[in-house]
Structures are given as structure tokens and as C-alpha cells.
Amino acid sequence: MPRHLILVSLFLVGCADVSLDVEFGHQGAERLVVTLRGEHTDFTPGRTRASFGKDSGILVHEVTVRSSDHAEMVISIPLDEPLGEQTLTVRDGDLVVKKAFLVKAAQTITISPASGSQGTTGLRVAVLGRNTSFTLATLAPQVAIAGVTVSSYVVRSATTADVYLDIGLGAPLGNHVNAFSVVSRSSS
């Protein structure tokens, strides 16, 4: 009886997957950067694409490939986008991965007082947020007025903070619309 040697090659290929560093966004978010981390992927510039469902108003401005397993997408979420889960589809050649992405209620803030005098040091501005989750690690108050700086800030709760401003003698007078912002570097 002849004996035959049969060689069998076995290739184990893992299933491709994509994870998101940010799995949610707030209504009204503009140019939110979401990092895509791939497992068993081959992200390629010009071939890797991301999109939301046809009924979604979420706009994917761009997808930038950093490496075969790392890409970034920049999205904007309309203020009137429905709340809840949406499906993000990431495509690269034959690879199609669908991920859940949650749209949360818009974040808003109010400040008081809304004005100050030139030469004031340590002006306390109370910040009240809605749908926010302020912490010392995530809060980044900013002022876009020459001569006005943030000297310090204190987080009181997930929705309240005090920001202390120094207003220089040369700070320009007048109404400065949208000159004060409280940026949340990362919130849940």
C-alpha cells in the first residue's frame, strides 16, 4: 500500500474590526475628530471611507489615514440631528465594518456676569452647563479677546464651574460675541 504525504497549509486570519476613541457626539458638534483604530485592517489613503446612514444628517468632512490600522475622521453633527444610536460604516476595499455611534443632546453653557471692566483682576465668571460633564481634566475655558486671559478655574460639579479672568487695561471695549468658550476636551 503506497503512502502519500499530503501537506496542508492553514492560514488563520482574524476578523477585521474597528474601534472608535469617541463613540458619541453632541448635537451641534462641529469638526469633531474621531480616531479609528483597526484590528486586522489595511487602511489606505483614498480607499478608506466612513459614512452614516442615508437618513443621517451627520457629515463626514474627511478621513485621514495615519497607518494601516489608524485613521481619523472629522465629522459635524447638526443641531437638529435626532438623538439616539446611529450606524457608522467604515469601508476599505472589501472590508465593511459597522459601528454604533450615539448622538446626545446639545451641550450649552451660560455665563454670569457677561461683562467686565478694563483693569479687573480675578473676575469670577460663573459657568452653568446643560448636558455637560465638567471635570478638572476635561474643562478648558478659553477667551478670544486680546488682553483678556483665564487666570484659573474651579469645577464645582458636572454642570457648574467658576472661571477667573484678568482683563488688561488695553483690552478692547465693546460687545464680543462668542468670545468666551468652555471647551470640553473629553466628556461622557
Side-chain angles (χ1 to χ4, degrees), residues 116-120 143-149 166-174 176:
S117 301
Q118 290 173 317
T120 302
V143 180
I145 304 170
V148 179
T149 58
D166 294 337
I167 305 171
L169 289 172
L173 298 174
H176 302 279

Side-chain angles (χ1 to χ4, degrees), residues 15-20 35-43 67-71 90 95 97:
C15 293
D17 195 16
V18 175
S19 62
L20 311 175
T35 300
L36 309 170
R37 294 282 182 190
E39 185 176 326
H40 305 293
T41 57
D42 186 23
F43 294 151
S67 69
S68 64
D69 63 353
H70 175 206
V90 179
L95 170 68
V97 176

Side-chain angles (χ1 to χ4, degrees), residues 7-163:
L7 297 176
V8 177
S9 294
L10 178 62
F11 291 97
L12 297 176
V13 179
C15 293
D17 195 16
V18 175
S19 62
L20 311 175
D21 72 330
V22 177
E23 296 178 339
F24 68 90
H26 293 276
Q27 293 169 314
E30 294 186 21
R31 304 202 62 82
L32 175 66
V33 177
V34 179
T35 300
L36 309 170
R37 294 282 182 190
E39 185 176 326
H40 305 293
T41 57
D42 186 23
F43 294 151
T44 305
R47 190 178 74 182
T48 301
R49 306 209 183 288
S51 63
F52 289 86
K54 65 180 175 121
D55 294 329
S56 175
I58 299 176
L59 175 64
V60 178
H61 295 281
E62 61 188 275
V63 176
T64 303
V65 173
R66 302 289 183 204
S67 69
S68 64
D69 63 353
H70 175 206
E72 295 172 350
M73 68 176 183
V74 179
I75 65 172
S76 290
I77 304 171
L79 194 54
D80 62 350
E81 187 69 17
L83 300 178
E85 190 173 290
Q86 296 204 22
T87 301
L88 166 67
T89 303
V90 179
R91 298 178 191 278
D92 189 281
D94 293 333
L95 170 68
V96 177
V97 176
K98 296 183 182 282
K99 301 302 285 187
F101 187 86
L102 185 63
V103 176
K104 293 185 175 186
Q107 292 180 310
T108 59
I109 65 164
T110 55
I111 61 171
S112 180
S115 64
S117 301
Q118 290 173 317
T120 302
T121 302
L123 173 67
R124 178 184 164 269
V125 176
V127 178
L128 176 62
R130 185 179 130 244
N131 298 318
T132 57
S133 54
F134 299 149
T135 69
L136 280 176
T138 63
L139 191 69
Q142 301 171 353
V143 180
I145 304 170
V148 179
T149 58
V150 174
S151 59
S152 65
Y153 56 95
V154 176
V155 174
R156 304 269 180 224
S157 72
T159 58
T160 60
D162 292 332
V163 177

